[in-house]
C-alpha cells in the first residue's frame, strides 16, 4: 500500500513511531492545524537497513540522512525496493558533493552559502532534477554551526533566487542545545514570513511539539523513532 508522504500512520506502527505520530497529531490539534500540514521526516542516520525496514513497513515514507556518503551506501537499494520514498538531506553539504546530493535526495535542508548555491544550480540544470531546497539559518549564531546568520538571511535568500535562479521552499534551523527552542523557531518563522517562504524545517525528538506550535511544516525526528544512536554522529 502506498501513502502520500504526509498521510498519518496507522495505530499499529512500531512503538517509537506510533508515539511520535500521536504527539504530532496532538500538537496539530492544540495548534488548530491540519495534521497534513506537517511532514514527519524520520531521521535514520547511523541506523542500518534492518532498523529502517520496519519503519517503511509501518507506512513511513519520508526519511532524513545527514551525510551524503552514508546515504549513498544504504538508500539506493531501499528506494528501489520501495517506490515512493522521499529522502531528505538534513546535514551540511560540501560543494564537491552537490552532484551526488542532487542525484540522491528529494530535498536539501542545508543551503547556506554561495558556493553551494552555485554547485546546486549547476547540478539541477545538468540533471534536470529539482530537489526541494531549504536555507539553513543559524538562529543561535553559533560559530561551529552551519547556516546563514539571521541578519544576512534576507540578502542570502534574494541571492539564491536572483543570482543563482534557485527556487527556495523554506527555512531550516537547529536551535542551540542549551537554550529554549521556541525563540529560535519564532525567529526562523519570522524570517520566512518576510521573505514569502511557507515551509519551516524545525523540531527534533526533544522539541517537535513546540516547533509545530510555532509553525513547523517539516519535523526531523530520529531517536524518538529509532531509539538512541550508539554511534556518535552530528
Ligand atoms: C540527527 C538530526 C536530527 C534528529 O535528531 P533527534 O534528536 O535524534 O531527533 C534532526 N536534525 C538534524 C539536522 C540532525 O542532524
Amino acid at each position: 500500500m502506498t501513502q502520500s508522504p504526509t498521510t498519518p500512520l496507522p495505530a499499529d506502527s512500531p512503538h517509537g513511531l506510533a508515539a511520535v505520530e500521536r504527539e504530532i497529531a496532538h500538537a496539530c490539534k492544540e495548534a488548530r492545524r491540519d495534521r497534513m500540514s506537517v511532514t514527519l521526516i524520520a531521521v535514520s542516520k547511523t541506523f542500518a537497513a534492518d532498523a529502517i525496514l520496519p519503519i517503511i513497513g509501518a507506512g513511513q515514507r519520508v526519511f532524513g540522512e545527514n551525510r551524503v556518503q552514508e546515504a549513498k551506501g544504504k538508500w539506493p537499494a531501499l528506494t528501489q525496493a520501495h517506490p515512493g520514498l522521499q529522502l531528505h538531506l538534513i546535514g551540511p553539504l560540501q560543494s564537491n558533493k552537490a552532484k551526488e546530493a542532487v542525484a540522491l535526495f528529494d530535498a536539501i535542508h542545508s543551503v547556506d552559502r554561495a558556493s553551494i548555491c552555485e554547485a546546486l544550480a549547476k547540478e539541477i540544470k545538468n540533471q534536470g532534477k529539482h530537489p526541494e531546497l531549504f536555507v539553513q539559518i543559524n538562529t543561535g549564531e553559533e560559530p561551529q554551526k552551519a547556516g546563514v546568520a539571521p541578519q544576512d538571511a534576507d540578502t542570502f535568500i534574494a541571492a539564491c533566487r536572483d543570482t543563482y535562479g534557485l527556487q527556495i521552499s523554506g527555512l531550516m534551523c537547529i536551535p542551540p542545545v542549551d537554550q529554549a527552542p521556541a525563540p529560535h523557531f519564532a525567529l526562523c518563522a519570522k524570517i520566512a514570513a518576510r521573505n514569502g517562504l511557507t515551509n519551516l524545517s524545525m523540531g527534533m525528538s526533544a522539541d517537535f511539539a513546540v516547533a509545530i506550535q510555532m509553525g513547523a511544516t517539516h519535523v526531523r525526528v530520529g531517536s524518538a523513532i529509532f531509539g538512541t544512536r550508539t554511534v556518535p554522529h552530528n
Side-chain angles (χ1 to χ4, degrees):
M1 190 183 70
T2 53
Q3 292 180 299
S4 91
T6 46
T7 304
L9 298 160
D12 61 353
S13 306
H15 180 74
L17 184 62
V20 168
E21 179 51 44
R22 273 196 304 275
E23 201 177 334
I24 291 175
H26 180 73
C28 285
K29 200 162 167 228
E30 294 269 292
R32 295 173 199 268
R33 294 183 54 190
D34 190 330
R35 167 66 187 89
M36 303 293 277
S37 70
V38 179
T39 297
L40 169 61
I41 303 170
V43 177
S44 50
K45 65 187 185 196
T46 78
F47 290 96
D50 61 346
I52 298 171
L53 281 168
I55 307 300
I56 296 174
Q60 177 64 25
R61 290 293 171 264
V62 186
F63 290 85
E65 288 284 341
N66 75 335
R67 289 180 188 174
V68 176
Q69 220 50 37
E70 181 183 342
K72 207 178 136 193
K74 69 189 183 196
W75 279 97
L78 288 167
T79 38
Q80 189 153 36
H82 304 273
L85 296 185
Q86 263 190 35
L87 193 57
H88 290 226
L89 178 64
I90 60 170
L93 177 61
Q94 311 296 324
S95 0
N96 63 3
K97 295 272 170 65
K99 185 176 180 177
E100 289 172 318
V102 169
L104 193 58
F105 292 96
D106 301 290
I108 295 171
H109 292 237
S110 47
V111 179
D112 70 350
R113 55 195 188 277
S115 57
I116 294 293
C117 292
E118 196 176 336
L120 287 174
K122 180 175 158 223
E123 288 308 325
I124 286 167
K125 186 157 174 267
N126 285 350
Q127 300 184 36
K129 267 197 81 193
H130 293 264
E132 186 177 1
L133 302 178
F134 293 78
V135 168
Q136 183 173 349
I137 308 294
N138 187 357
T139 56
E141 299 182 56
E142 297 170 277
Q144 82 285 6
K145 201 170 267 177
V148 179
Q151 65 273 17
D152 299 332
D154 297 358
T155 308
F156 182 76
I157 294 163
C160 287
R161 291 166 165 162
D162 304 337
T163 310
Y164 301 101
L166 296 174
Q167 194 174 327
I168 301 298
S169 164
L171 302 182
M172 179 269 227
C173 74
I174 309 170
V177 284
D178 56 349
Q179 289 180 29
H184 294 275
F185 296 153
L187 175 59
C188 199
K190 190 172 129 190
I191 296 170
R194 71 173 182 240
N195 284 282
L197 296 169
T198 44
N199 286 314
L200 290 168
S201 165
M202 52 191 206
M204 316 195 342
S205 290
D207 54 21
F208 65 86
V210 181
I212 289 169
Q213 210 176 344
M214 317 289 301
T217 58
H218 295 70
V219 292
R220 311 176 310 265
V221 181
S223 46
I225 295 173
F226 290 98
T228 309
R229 286 179 292 275
T230 50
V231 186
H233 211 274
N234 55 38

